[in-house]
Amino acid sequence: MTIPKTESEVSACFCLTIKQPFTSAVVEEEKRWENQRYPLSRYVRDGTWVFLHSSASPWRAKYPSVDERWPNHPPFRSMKCGSILGMVRLDRAVHLTSMSEEEKADPWVTTDDKRVWKWEIGDVLAFESPFEYKRKPGVVDSMVRLRLDLPDLYSQLLARISANKGRT
């Protein structure tokens, strides 16, 4: 699947929400695995481009673990929350038990919680400036379709994609 080129293709996209500072780590290509409870196929096929959204509230626990994984990260307060930061290609999902030892050694792969599915992040298309976007209230799933009730959402996102095409 390719990066969307039309408003219709944008409207068919999913949006993956991750808390900061992890969203910024993905955009900066520091974080190559996303830890989830479900296989990718529950939502999309391998190789699908999705919008990358930073949660409205940052992850507040265990910031020291981020310092260990990403020593040169920008200040946490500078990381934009509640915005679409770009798009990512999700190459595949691997169950923790099927990962190689080398893959498990990646500092972003968790091995001690219920998130046993690991989504491999491929190419990243970072927007030059974040697109403010709020999810529908009450949505708890990390992967959802874009909202239908926001005027001009698809055309505005398509403009961001077009402006940043050469940056993958």
Side-chain angles (χ1 to χ4, degrees):
M1 185 169 216
T2 61
I3 295 173
K5 295 178 182 74
T6 66
E7 287 185 34
S8 173
E9 290 174 355
V10 168
S11 72
C13 286
F14 276 83
C15 189
L16 172 62
T17 298
I18 306 174
K19 288 189 177 286
Q20 286 287 23
F22 306 108
T23 320
S24 290
V26 170
V27 168
E28 295 297 325
E29 299 186 26
E30 293 287 333
K31 184 176 190 279
R32 305 308 299 173
W33 293 96
E34 172 57 15
N35 303 289
Q36 292 286 326
R37 292 180 183 218
Y38 304 104
L40 188 59
S41 60
R42 178 175 175 178
Y43 308 99
V44 296
R45 296 188 323 260
D46 291 355
T48 299
W49 283 88
V50 298
F51 288 98
L52 181 64
H53 175 252
S54 61
S55 175
S57 59
W59 185 64
R60 300 207 183 275
K62 302 179 187 169
Y63 273 145
S65 69
V66 174
D67 293 333
E68 294 166 10
R69 297 172 186 163
W70 188 17
N72 299 321
H73 63 76
F76 292 121
R77 291 181 192 263
S78 72
M79 297 178 188
K80 185 77 172 150
C81 291
S83 296
I84 295 175
L85 303 182
M87 296 191 78
V88 295
R89 192 185 67 231
L90 298 174
D91 285 346
R92 66 185 175 123
V94 184
H95 193 276
L96 181 61
T97 59
S98 298
M99 292 182 83
S100 69
E101 291 306 314
E102 181 181 338
E103 290 170 332
K104 287 180 191 176
D106 185 293
W108 297 99
V109 172
T110 59
T111 58
D112 58 352
D113 61 25
K114 294 180 182 181
R115 298 170 301 157
V116 295
W117 284 96
K118 311 305 174 185
W119 298 357
E120 186 175 22
I121 298 164
D123 288 334
V124 175
L125 175 69
F127 292 168
E128 280 189 32
S129 60
F131 180 84
E132 194 168 311
Y133 177 78
K134 305 294 183 214
R135 292 171 41 148
K136 282 188 177 179
V139 173
V140 296
D141 228 0
S142 61
M143 180 83 84
V144 297
R145 293 247 182 230
L146 290 170
R147 293 177 65 170
L148 301 174
D149 60 335
L150 299 175
D152 301 321
L153 173 66
Y154 304 145
S155 62
Q156 290 178 37
L157 288 173
L158 190 58
R160 297 283 170 111
I161 293 167
S162 297
N164 291 279
K165 277 231 173 120
R167 298 181 64 211
T168 57

